[in-house]
Amino acid sequence: MTVSTHRRVLPEAPARRGWCPGLSRPMPTGDGLLARVHPPLGILTLAQAHAVAEGARRFGNGHLDLTARANLQIRGVSDATRTPLARLLEAAGLGDARSDGGPQRLTLTSPLAGRDPTETFDVPALARAVEAAGLAVPGLPAKTLVVVEGRLGAELPEADAYLFSHISGDIGIAVAGGQGFHDLATCAAEEAPAAIAALLQAFARTGLRRMRDLSPDDFSALDNAVRVEIQTQVPSPVREGGHRGVSRWAVPFSPRVGVEWLAPRQRILTVDAPFGRCTADALDQLVGLAARLGAEEIRLSPARGFVLLPLQDPSAADLTALARNFIIAPDDPRRSVAACTGAPACASGSTPTLVDAARLATMFAPLGLEGRAAHVSGCAKGCARPGPADLTLVGRGGLYGTVIGGAPGDEPAMHLPIEAVLERLGRAKTVGLAAAFAPGNTVTDFGRNERPA
Protein backbone atom coordinates (compact mmCIF):
# COMPACT_ATOMS: atom_id res chain seq x y z
CA MET A 1 0.00 0.00 0.00
CA THR A 2 1.12 3.56 -0.62
CA VAL A 3 1.71 5.56 2.54
CA SER A 4 1.64 9.32 2.79
CA THR A 5 5.02 10.84 2.06
CA HIS A 6 4.54 13.08 5.08
CA ARG A 7 4.79 10.24 7.59
CA ARG A 8 7.25 11.05 10.33
CA VAL A 9 10.44 8.99 10.11
CA LEU A 10 10.93 7.44 13.51
CA PRO A 11 14.18 7.73 15.46
CA GLU A 12 16.69 4.94 15.34
CA ALA A 13 16.16 1.98 17.63
CA PRO A 14 18.94 -0.18 19.04
CA ALA A 15 20.28 -2.88 16.74
CA ARG A 16 19.05 -6.20 18.09
CA ARG A 17 17.69 -9.48 16.86
CA GLY A 18 13.89 -9.49 16.83
CA TRP A 19 13.48 -5.89 15.74
CA CYS A 20 12.44 -5.67 12.09
CA PRO A 21 13.60 -2.52 10.29
CA GLY A 22 11.42 -0.83 7.71
CA LEU A 23 11.63 2.39 5.75
CA SER A 24 10.46 4.65 8.55
CA ARG A 25 12.69 2.85 11.09
CA PRO A 26 15.96 1.82 9.41
CA MET A 27 18.38 -0.14 11.57
CA PRO A 28 21.89 1.09 12.44
CA THR A 29 24.64 -1.26 11.34
CA GLY A 30 28.30 -1.15 10.35
CA ASP A 31 27.88 0.50 6.95
CA GLY A 32 25.20 2.99 7.94
CA LEU A 33 21.47 2.44 8.25
CA LEU A 34 19.73 -0.61 6.82
CA ALA A 35 16.25 -0.05 5.35
CA ARG A 36 14.08 -3.08 4.62
CA VAL A 37 11.59 -3.09 1.75
CA HIS A 38 8.62 -5.48 2.04
CA PRO A 39 7.12 -6.01 -1.45
CA PRO A 40 3.48 -7.16 -1.16
CA LEU A 41 3.39 -10.95 -1.71
CA GLY A 42 7.08 -10.70 -2.66
CA ILE A 43 6.29 -9.29 -6.10
CA LEU A 44 7.76 -6.18 -7.73
CA THR A 45 6.57 -4.53 -10.90
CA LEU A 46 9.44 -3.60 -13.18
CA ALA A 47 8.95 0.06 -12.23
CA GLN A 48 9.08 -0.83 -8.53
CA ALA A 49 12.24 -2.91 -8.99
CA HIS A 50 13.88 0.00 -10.78
CA ALA A 51 12.81 2.34 -7.95
CA VAL A 52 14.51 0.03 -5.41
CA ALA A 53 17.70 0.01 -7.48
CA GLU A 54 17.57 3.79 -7.88
CA GLY A 55 17.00 4.23 -4.16
CA ALA A 56 19.96 2.01 -3.31
CA ARG A 57 22.20 4.02 -5.65
CA ARG A 58 21.06 7.51 -4.67
CA PHE A 59 20.36 7.06 -0.97
CA GLY A 60 22.42 4.00 0.03
CA ASN A 61 25.80 2.53 -0.86
CA GLY A 62 24.49 0.62 -3.88
CA HIS A 63 24.31 -2.78 -2.12
CA LEU A 64 21.15 -4.82 -1.62
CA ASP A 65 20.47 -7.85 0.58
CA LEU A 66 17.81 -10.44 -0.27
CA THR A 67 16.26 -12.09 2.78
CA ALA A 68 14.87 -15.57 3.43
CA ARG A 69 11.42 -13.97 3.71
CA ALA A 70 11.64 -12.62 0.17
CA ASN A 71 12.24 -9.02 1.22
CA LEU A 72 14.94 -6.54 0.15
CA GLN A 73 17.35 -4.53 2.27
CA ILE A 74 19.01 -1.32 1.16
CA ARG A 75 22.37 -0.80 2.85
CA GLY A 76 24.42 2.30 3.58
CA VAL A 77 21.51 4.67 4.17
CA SER A 78 22.34 7.78 6.22
CA ASP A 79 20.41 10.15 8.46
CA ALA A 80 20.39 12.61 5.58
CA THR A 81 19.07 10.12 2.99
CA ARG A 82 16.62 7.99 4.99
CA THR A 83 13.64 10.33 4.50
CA PRO A 84 14.06 10.85 0.72
CA LEU A 85 14.53 7.08 0.31
CA ALA A 86 11.27 6.42 2.16
CA ARG A 87 9.47 9.00 0.03
CA LEU A 88 10.79 7.51 -3.21
CA LEU A 89 9.66 3.99 -2.34
CA GLU A 90 6.34 5.08 -0.85
CA ALA A 91 5.58 6.83 -4.13
CA ALA A 92 6.33 3.52 -5.90
CA GLY A 93 3.83 1.67 -3.70
CA LEU A 94 6.46 0.07 -1.46
CA GLY A 95 5.95 2.05 1.75
CA ASP A 96 5.64 0.56 5.22
CA ALA A 97 2.29 -1.11 5.86
CA ARG A 98 2.09 -0.22 9.56
CA SER A 99 3.76 1.97 12.17
CA ASP A 100 2.90 0.11 15.39
CA GLY A 101 5.86 -2.27 15.41
CA GLY A 102 3.88 -5.17 13.95
CA PRO A 103 4.91 -7.18 10.88
CA GLN A 104 5.28 -5.08 7.74
CA ARG A 105 4.66 -8.25 5.73
CA LEU A 106 2.94 -11.18 7.36
CA THR A 107 2.80 -13.84 4.65
CA LEU A 108 5.28 -15.88 2.66
CA THR A 109 4.16 -17.61 -0.53
CA SER A 110 5.97 -19.56 -3.21
CA PRO A 111 7.45 -17.34 -5.94
CA LEU A 112 5.09 -19.18 -8.30
CA ALA A 113 1.94 -18.46 -6.27
CA GLY A 114 -1.04 -17.79 -8.49
CA ARG A 115 0.73 -19.07 -11.60
CA ASP A 116 1.31 -22.74 -10.76
CA PRO A 117 -1.49 -24.86 -12.27
CA THR A 118 -1.13 -27.49 -9.53
CA GLU A 119 -2.33 -25.14 -6.77
CA THR A 120 -5.62 -26.26 -5.26
CA PHE A 121 -6.81 -22.83 -4.09
CA ASP A 122 -6.21 -19.15 -4.86
CA VAL A 123 -3.00 -18.56 -2.92
CA PRO A 124 -2.59 -14.80 -3.62
CA ALA A 125 -6.20 -14.09 -2.61
CA LEU A 126 -5.83 -15.97 0.67
CA ALA A 127 -2.45 -14.34 1.37
CA ARG A 128 -4.00 -10.89 0.87
CA ALA A 129 -6.79 -11.84 3.28
CA VAL A 130 -4.19 -12.92 5.85
CA GLU A 131 -2.36 -9.62 5.44
CA ALA A 132 -5.60 -7.71 6.01
CA ALA A 133 -6.36 -9.80 9.09
CA GLY A 134 -2.90 -9.14 10.50
CA LEU A 135 -3.21 -5.38 10.06
CA ALA A 136 -6.30 -5.48 12.26
CA VAL A 137 -4.52 -7.27 15.12
CA PRO A 138 -2.83 -4.90 17.60
CA GLY A 139 0.23 -6.22 19.38
CA LEU A 140 1.10 -8.82 16.74
CA PRO A 141 4.86 -9.47 17.04
CA ALA A 142 7.01 -8.06 14.25
CA LYS A 143 8.47 -11.40 13.20
CA THR A 144 5.17 -13.28 12.93
CA LEU A 145 5.13 -15.26 9.67
CA VAL A 146 2.32 -17.21 8.00
CA VAL A 147 3.19 -19.49 5.06
CA VAL A 148 0.41 -19.91 2.49
CA GLU A 149 1.05 -22.87 0.16
CA GLY A 150 -1.45 -24.26 -2.34
CA ARG A 151 0.42 -27.26 -3.78
CA LEU A 152 0.01 -30.75 -2.35
CA GLY A 153 3.23 -32.21 -0.93
CA ALA A 154 5.12 -28.92 -1.11
CA GLU A 155 8.14 -28.19 1.04
CA LEU A 156 7.33 -25.62 3.72
CA PRO A 157 9.87 -23.22 5.25
CA GLU A 158 10.05 -22.40 8.94
CA ALA A 159 7.20 -20.12 10.04
CA ASP A 160 4.76 -19.50 12.88
CA ALA A 161 1.61 -20.69 11.14
CA TYR A 162 0.71 -22.51 7.95
CA LEU A 163 -2.24 -22.54 5.56
CA PHE A 164 -1.61 -25.41 3.16
CA SER A 165 -3.27 -27.66 0.63
CA HIS A 166 -4.67 -30.64 2.53
CA ILE A 167 -5.15 -34.07 1.02
CA SER A 168 -8.83 -33.85 1.93
CA GLY A 169 -9.27 -31.05 -0.59
CA ASP A 170 -9.69 -28.44 2.13
CA ILE A 171 -7.15 -26.01 3.56
CA GLY A 172 -5.09 -27.22 6.50
CA ILE A 173 -4.16 -24.95 9.41
CA ALA A 174 -1.09 -25.66 11.53
CA VAL A 175 1.24 -23.80 13.87
CA ALA A 176 4.85 -24.32 14.92
CA GLY A 177 5.35 -25.80 18.35
CA GLY A 178 8.70 -26.54 19.98
CA GLN A 179 10.54 -29.02 17.78
CA GLY A 180 7.41 -30.07 15.91
CA PHE A 181 4.29 -28.73 14.28
CA HIS A 182 0.74 -28.84 15.53
CA ASP A 183 -2.20 -29.46 13.19
CA LEU A 184 -5.18 -27.41 14.33
CA ALA A 185 -7.88 -27.96 11.75
CA THR A 186 -9.01 -28.13 8.16
CA CYS A 187 -11.51 -25.74 6.66
CA ALA A 188 -13.07 -24.63 3.40
CA ALA A 189 -11.37 -21.83 1.52
CA GLU A 190 -14.11 -19.34 2.41
CA GLU A 191 -13.65 -20.09 6.13
CA ALA A 192 -9.87 -19.63 6.14
CA PRO A 193 -9.67 -15.81 6.47
CA ALA A 194 -11.84 -15.76 9.61
CA ALA A 195 -9.99 -18.75 11.05
CA ILE A 196 -6.56 -17.16 10.58
CA ALA A 197 -7.81 -13.86 12.01
CA ALA A 198 -8.95 -15.69 15.14
CA LEU A 199 -5.63 -17.53 15.31
CA LEU A 200 -3.59 -14.31 15.07
CA GLN A 201 -5.72 -12.55 17.68
CA ALA A 202 -5.31 -15.47 20.10
CA PHE A 203 -1.56 -15.51 19.50
CA ALA A 204 -1.23 -11.76 20.12
CA ARG A 205 -3.00 -12.20 23.47
CA THR A 206 -0.30 -14.63 24.66
CA GLY A 207 2.32 -11.87 24.60
CA LEU A 208 4.90 -14.27 23.11
CA ARG A 209 7.17 -13.40 20.18
CA ARG A 210 7.03 -16.72 18.27
CA MET A 211 4.45 -19.51 18.13
CA ARG A 212 7.11 -22.14 18.71
CA ASP A 213 7.32 -20.81 22.29
CA LEU A 214 3.66 -21.57 23.06
CA SER A 215 2.81 -23.66 26.13
CA PRO A 216 0.20 -26.48 26.04
CA ASP A 217 -2.35 -24.06 27.50
CA ASP A 218 -1.52 -21.54 24.79
CA PHE A 219 -2.05 -24.21 22.13
CA SER A 220 -5.46 -24.93 23.63
CA ALA A 221 -6.38 -21.26 23.40
CA LEU A 222 -5.42 -21.20 19.71
CA ASP A 223 -7.34 -24.45 19.12
CA ASN A 224 -10.43 -23.01 20.72
CA ALA A 225 -10.18 -19.74 18.81
CA VAL A 226 -9.98 -21.54 15.47
CA ARG A 227 -12.73 -24.01 16.42
CA VAL A 228 -15.17 -21.17 17.02
CA GLU A 229 -14.72 -20.01 13.43
CA ILE A 230 -14.94 -23.31 11.52
CA GLN A 231 -16.96 -26.50 11.69
CA THR A 232 -14.40 -29.21 10.86
CA GLN A 233 -11.71 -30.09 13.36
CA VAL A 234 -8.75 -32.46 12.95
CA PRO A 235 -7.00 -32.72 16.33
CA SER A 236 -3.43 -33.95 16.21
CA PRO A 237 -0.62 -34.08 18.76
CA VAL A 238 2.56 -32.09 18.28
CA ARG A 239 4.73 -34.09 15.93
CA GLU A 240 8.43 -34.11 16.68
CA GLY A 241 10.60 -33.77 13.59
CA GLY A 242 8.31 -31.70 11.44
CA HIS A 243 4.86 -31.16 10.03
CA ARG A 244 3.58 -32.83 6.88
CA GLY A 245 5.27 -31.06 4.00
CA VAL A 246 7.94 -29.41 6.15
CA SER A 247 11.52 -30.41 5.24
CA ARG A 248 11.92 -32.76 2.29
CA TRP A 249 8.85 -33.32 0.16
CA ALA A 250 8.66 -33.72 -3.59
CA VAL A 251 7.68 -30.15 -4.52
CA PRO A 252 10.28 -27.45 -3.69
CA PHE A 253 8.99 -24.21 -2.20
CA SER A 254 11.22 -22.16 -4.54
CA PRO A 255 12.13 -23.16 -8.11
CA ARG A 256 15.72 -24.13 -8.77
CA VAL A 257 17.99 -21.72 -10.59
CA GLY A 258 18.09 -21.68 -14.37
CA VAL A 259 15.39 -21.92 -17.03
CA GLU A 260 12.52 -24.38 -16.53
CA TRP A 261 8.99 -24.89 -17.81
CA LEU A 262 6.16 -24.36 -15.34
CA ALA A 263 3.50 -25.30 -17.87
CA PRO A 264 3.51 -26.00 -21.63
CA ARG A 265 3.46 -22.29 -22.39
CA GLN A 266 5.03 -20.84 -19.27
CA ARG A 267 8.78 -20.53 -18.69
CA ILE A 268 10.54 -19.76 -15.41
CA LEU A 269 13.89 -18.01 -15.18
CA THR A 270 15.32 -18.16 -11.66
CA VAL A 271 18.56 -16.61 -10.42
CA ASP A 272 20.01 -16.49 -6.92
CA ALA A 273 22.09 -13.66 -5.50
CA PRO A 274 25.45 -14.98 -4.25
CA PHE A 275 25.16 -15.19 -0.46
CA GLY A 276 21.97 -13.09 -0.71
CA ARG A 277 23.63 -9.92 -1.97
CA CYS A 278 23.57 -7.98 -5.23
CA THR A 279 24.16 -4.43 -6.41
CA ALA A 280 21.69 -1.84 -7.60
CA ASP A 281 23.21 -2.08 -11.08
CA ALA A 282 22.71 -5.87 -11.09
CA LEU A 283 19.04 -5.43 -10.19
CA ASP A 284 18.63 -2.91 -13.00
CA GLN A 285 20.29 -5.42 -15.33
CA LEU A 286 17.59 -7.91 -14.36
CA VAL A 287 14.86 -5.31 -14.89
CA GLY A 288 16.15 -4.64 -18.40
CA LEU A 289 16.25 -8.35 -19.23
CA ALA A 290 12.73 -8.86 -17.87
CA ALA A 291 11.43 -6.09 -20.11
CA ARG A 292 13.16 -7.54 -23.19
CA LEU A 293 11.82 -11.05 -22.50
CA GLY A 294 8.26 -9.89 -21.86
CA ALA A 295 8.14 -10.54 -18.09
CA GLU A 296 5.82 -8.04 -16.40
CA GLU A 297 7.14 -8.46 -12.85
CA ILE A 298 10.02 -9.73 -10.76
CA ARG A 299 9.26 -12.16 -7.95
CA LEU A 300 11.49 -12.57 -4.93
CA SER A 301 12.48 -16.04 -3.77
CA PRO A 302 13.10 -17.19 -0.18
CA ALA A 303 16.22 -18.79 -1.64
CA ARG A 304 17.50 -15.18 -1.83
CA GLY A 305 16.99 -14.79 -5.53
CA PHE A 306 14.64 -13.54 -8.23
CA VAL A 307 12.13 -15.32 -10.45
CA LEU A 308 10.94 -14.13 -13.86
CA LEU A 309 8.07 -15.59 -15.87
CA PRO A 310 9.20 -14.47 -19.34
CA LEU A 311 7.35 -14.83 -22.61
CA GLN A 312 10.47 -15.90 -24.48
CA ASP A 313 13.68 -17.76 -23.69
CA PRO A 314 16.79 -15.83 -22.65
CA SER A 315 19.65 -16.11 -25.12
CA ALA A 316 23.04 -17.61 -24.34
CA ALA A 317 24.40 -14.06 -24.23
CA ASP A 318 21.69 -13.07 -21.72
CA LEU A 319 22.62 -15.96 -19.43
CA THR A 320 26.33 -15.21 -19.71
CA ALA A 321 25.69 -11.60 -18.71
CA LEU A 322 23.49 -12.70 -15.78
CA ALA A 323 26.18 -15.08 -14.55
CA ARG A 324 28.47 -12.13 -13.84
CA ASN A 325 26.19 -11.00 -11.03
CA PHE A 326 23.93 -13.95 -10.18
CA ILE A 327 23.97 -17.70 -9.70
CA ILE A 328 22.33 -19.40 -12.68
CA ALA A 329 23.73 -22.95 -12.41
CA PRO A 330 22.06 -25.48 -10.05
CA ASP A 331 25.45 -26.96 -9.14
CA ASP A 332 27.10 -23.65 -8.23
CA PRO A 333 28.91 -24.38 -4.93
CA ARG A 334 27.81 -21.05 -3.44
CA ARG A 335 24.25 -22.35 -3.27
CA SER A 336 25.26 -24.69 -0.42
CA VAL A 337 26.66 -21.94 1.79
CA ALA A 338 24.61 -19.30 3.62
CA ALA A 339 26.39 -16.17 4.81
CA CYS A 340 25.49 -12.86 6.38
CA THR A 341 27.11 -9.52 5.57
CA GLY A 342 29.72 -9.73 8.32
CA ALA A 343 32.51 -7.23 8.95
CA PRO A 344 32.96 -4.43 8.20
CA ALA A 345 29.43 -3.78 6.93
CA CYS A 346 27.75 -5.27 10.02
CA ALA A 347 28.58 -3.80 13.41
CA SER A 348 28.01 -7.18 15.10
CA GLY A 349 30.51 -9.05 12.93
CA SER A 350 34.24 -9.50 13.52
CA THR A 351 35.05 -11.57 10.41
CA PRO A 352 34.72 -10.89 6.65
CA THR A 353 32.02 -13.51 6.18
CA LEU A 354 31.32 -12.86 2.50
CA VAL A 355 34.97 -13.26 1.52
CA ASP A 356 35.38 -16.30 3.76
CA ALA A 357 32.12 -17.87 2.52
CA ALA A 358 33.34 -17.66 -1.06
CA ARG A 359 36.55 -19.49 -0.07
CA LEU A 360 34.59 -22.04 1.94
CA ALA A 361 32.16 -22.71 -0.93
CA THR A 362 34.95 -23.98 -3.17
CA MET A 363 36.18 -26.42 -0.52
CA PHE A 364 32.67 -27.41 0.52
CA ALA A 365 31.53 -28.17 -3.05
CA PRO A 366 31.76 -32.01 -2.83
CA LEU A 367 29.64 -31.98 0.34
CA GLY A 368 27.20 -29.52 -1.24
CA LEU A 369 26.62 -31.94 -4.11
CA GLU A 370 25.60 -34.52 -1.49
CA GLY A 371 22.94 -32.14 -0.16
CA ARG A 372 24.99 -30.84 2.79
CA ALA A 373 24.77 -27.19 3.86
CA ALA A 374 27.20 -24.77 5.52
CA HIS A 375 26.65 -21.41 7.21
CA VAL A 376 29.16 -18.64 7.80
CA SER A 377 27.75 -16.27 10.43
CA GLY A 378 29.37 -13.08 11.62
CA CYS A 379 27.95 -13.55 15.13
CA ALA A 380 25.68 -15.84 17.14
CA LYS A 381 22.49 -14.14 15.91
CA GLY A 382 22.63 -16.21 12.72
CA CYS A 383 20.70 -13.78 10.54
CA ALA A 384 21.36 -15.65 7.28
CA ARG A 385 20.29 -19.05 8.66
CA PRO A 386 19.00 -19.20 12.25
CA GLY A 387 18.57 -22.97 12.12
CA PRO A 388 21.15 -25.77 12.04
CA ALA A 389 23.54 -26.62 9.20
CA ASP A 390 25.96 -29.47 8.65
CA LEU A 391 28.79 -27.02 9.28
CA THR A 392 28.19 -23.70 11.04
CA LEU A 393 30.95 -21.14 11.55
CA VAL A 394 30.27 -18.35 14.04
CA GLY A 395 32.53 -15.31 14.05
CA ARG A 396 34.02 -14.25 17.34
CA GLY A 397 37.06 -12.03 17.85
CA GLY A 398 38.33 -12.64 14.32
CA LEU A 399 38.05 -16.44 14.64
CA TYR A 400 35.26 -18.87 13.82
CA GLY A 401 33.51 -21.07 16.36
CA THR A 402 32.84 -24.44 14.71
CA VAL A 403 29.51 -26.20 15.19
CA ILE A 404 28.80 -29.52 13.48
CA GLY A 405 25.13 -30.20 12.80
CA GLY A 406 23.99 -27.25 14.90
CA ALA A 407 22.87 -23.64 14.85
CA PRO A 408 24.79 -20.38 15.41
CA GLY A 409 23.57 -20.14 18.99
CA ASP A 410 24.91 -23.58 19.92
CA GLU A 411 28.14 -24.04 21.86
CA PRO A 412 31.08 -24.30 19.41
CA ALA A 413 33.61 -27.09 19.81
CA MET A 414 36.51 -24.68 19.25
CA HIS A 415 37.51 -21.43 17.57
CA LEU A 416 39.72 -21.41 14.48
CA PRO A 417 41.04 -18.94 11.89
CA ILE A 418 39.54 -19.37 8.43
CA GLU A 419 42.75 -20.94 7.12
CA ALA A 420 42.48 -23.73 9.70
CA VAL A 421 38.80 -24.20 8.88
CA LEU A 422 39.64 -24.67 5.21
CA GLU A 423 42.47 -27.09 6.03
CA ARG A 424 40.17 -29.22 8.19
CA LEU A 425 37.48 -29.09 5.52
CA GLY A 426 40.02 -30.57 3.11
CA ARG A 427 40.48 -33.47 5.52
CA ALA A 428 36.72 -34.03 5.63
CA LYS A 429 36.86 -35.60 2.17
CA THR A 430 38.58 -38.64 3.67
CA VAL A 431 37.70 -38.73 7.37
CA GLY A 432 34.25 -37.13 7.39
CA LEU A 433 33.04 -33.74 8.59
CA ALA A 434 32.67 -34.60 12.28
CA ALA A 435 36.10 -36.22 12.54
CA ALA A 436 37.79 -33.40 10.63
CA PHE A 437 36.43 -30.84 13.08
CA ALA A 438 36.96 -32.85 16.24
CA PRO A 439 38.56 -30.67 18.95
CA GLY A 440 42.32 -30.85 19.28
CA ASN A 441 45.40 -28.79 18.58
CA THR A 442 47.23 -29.43 15.32
CA VAL A 443 50.16 -27.75 13.64
CA THR A 444 47.98 -26.59 10.75
CA ASP A 445 45.65 -24.78 13.16
CA PHE A 446 48.44 -22.17 13.38
CA GLY A 447 48.58 -22.41 17.15
CA ARG A 448 45.32 -20.45 17.41
CA ASN A 449 42.90 -23.26 18.16
CA GLU A 450 40.89 -22.07 21.13
CA ARG A 451 38.33 -23.79 23.27
CA PRO A 452 35.25 -21.66 23.86
CA ALA A 453 35.47 -19.31 26.79
Side-chain angles (χ1 to χ4, degrees):
M1 61 180 288
T2 301
V3 182
S4 168
T5 57
H6 299 293
R7 170 180 289 170
R8 180 173 63 91
V9 176
L10 300 177
E12 296 173 7
R16 59 179 173 83
R17 184 167 175 81
W19 172 43
C20 293
L23 292 174
S24 62
R25 286 208 322 170
M27 182 176 71
T29 185
D31 57 354
L33 301 176
L34 181 150
R36 186 174 294 162
V37 186
H38 302 82
L41 303 190
I43 299 174
L44 295 165
T45 66
L46 300 191
Q48 287 175 327
H50 175 69
V52 172
E54 184 66 13
R57 263 192 303 267
R58 290 174 57 192
F59 305 121
N61 61 14
H63 287 286
L64 294 161
D65 296 331
L66 286 76
T67 78
R69 294 190 174 194
N71 295 313
L72 288 162
Q73 297 178 160
I74 296 176
R75 304 195 68 92
V77 180
S78 69
D79 285 326
T81 62
R82 56 192 292 192
T83 298
L85 172 64
R87 288 174 176 166
L88 172 70
L89 296 183
E90 286 168 356
L94 295 172
D96 289 348
R98 59 197 301 167
S99 58
D100 63 350
Q104 297 293 344
R105 180 171 159 217
L106 180 60
T107 58
L108 182 63
T109 58
S110 163
L112 305 179
R115 303 296 288 270
D116 193 317
T118 66
E119 290 177 338
T120 63
F121 60 86
D122 188 338
V123 173
L126 182 52
R128 285 190 287 269
V130 173
E131 294 286 354
L135 282 174
V137 179
L140 195 62
K143 284 190 173 293
T144 306
L145 183 65
V146 180
V147 165
V148 184
E149 175 55 73
R151 299 166 297 174
L152 275 172
E155 191 177 33
L156 300 179
E158 180 183 348
D160 292 290
Y162 301 89
L163 295 171
F164 59 93
S165 180
H166 195 273
I167 195 170
S168 67
D170 287 329
I171 294 176
I173 303 174
V175 297
Q179 299 300 311
F181 294 82
H182 188 85
D183 287 321
L184 296 183
T186 60
C187 67
E190 59 270 20
E191 296 175 303
I196 198 67
L199 177 67
L200 294 173
Q201 290 165 0
F203 173 54
R205 287 193 292 269
T206 68
L208 297 173
R209 291 179 56 238
R210 302 305 302 269
M211 288 194 189
R212 60 174 177 251
D213 299 326
L214 294 170
S215 69
D217 288 342
D218 294 326
F219 275 121
S220 296
L222 267 60
D223 271 323
N224 292 334
V226 171
R227 189 177 302 162
V228 168
E229 297 296 334
I230 59 179
Q231 300 302 313
T232 56
Q233 181 71 16
V234 182
S236 173
V238 174
R239 302 175 185 177
E240 298 302 321
H243 176 266
R244 63 169 303 280
V246 175
S247 71
R248 301 189 182 276
W249 279 63
V251 182
F253 192 76
S254 298
R256 70 175 189 168
V257 296
V259 180
E260 291 186 317
W261 287 90
L262 176 62
R265 296 184 180 181
Q266 180 62 72
R267 302 168 185 82
I268 312 170
L269 170 59
T270 303
V271 299
D272 284 352
F275 310 120
R277 170 170 275 205
C278 73
T279 64
D281 290 345
L283 178 54
D284 261 342
Q285 174 197 19
L286 195 63
V287 171
L289 178 61
R292 291 198 306 276
L293 298 181
E296 297 179 349
E297 60 194 19
I298 294 177
R299 297 181 171 217
L300 278 76
S301 165
R304 294 182 169 89
F306 300 102
V307 178
L308 306 182
L309 287 82
L311 297 178
Q312 62 189 68
D313 283 327
S315 66
D318 290 330
L319 295 177
T320 299
L322 276 179
R324 298 189 186 106
N325 296 306
F326 298 103
I327 295 173
I328 63 170
D331 60 351
D332 191 301
R334 293 171 294 180
R335 297 190 68 235
S336 300
V337 181
C340 62
T341 302
C346 178
S348 299
S350 64
T351 55
T353 54
L354 295 177
V355 174
D356 292 342
R359 298 176 66 187
L360 184 79
T362 301
M363 296 291 294
F364 196 78
L367 295 173
L369 292 175
E370 297 175 1
R372 305 282 194 94
H375 177 196
V376 184
S377 183
C379 69
K381 290 187 293 183
C383 296
R385 182 182 177 128
D390 295 283
L391 171 63
T392 297
L393 304 180
V394 185
R396 177 184 173 188
L399 302 177
Y400 283 106
T402 62
V403 181
I404 301 299
D410 294 340
E411 185 73 14
M414 54 190 166
H415 290 80
L416 301 171
I418 186 61
E419 291 81 6
V421 170
L422 297 177
E423 192 277 334
R424 285 177 177 249
L425 191 56
R427 283 187 244 158
K429 300 175 184 177
T430 55
V431 303
L433 200 58
F437 283 89
N441 293 306
T442 69
V443 174
T444 51
D445 285 344
F446 308 100
R448 296 182 67 196
N449 178 17
E450 301 178 2
R451 297 296 304 213

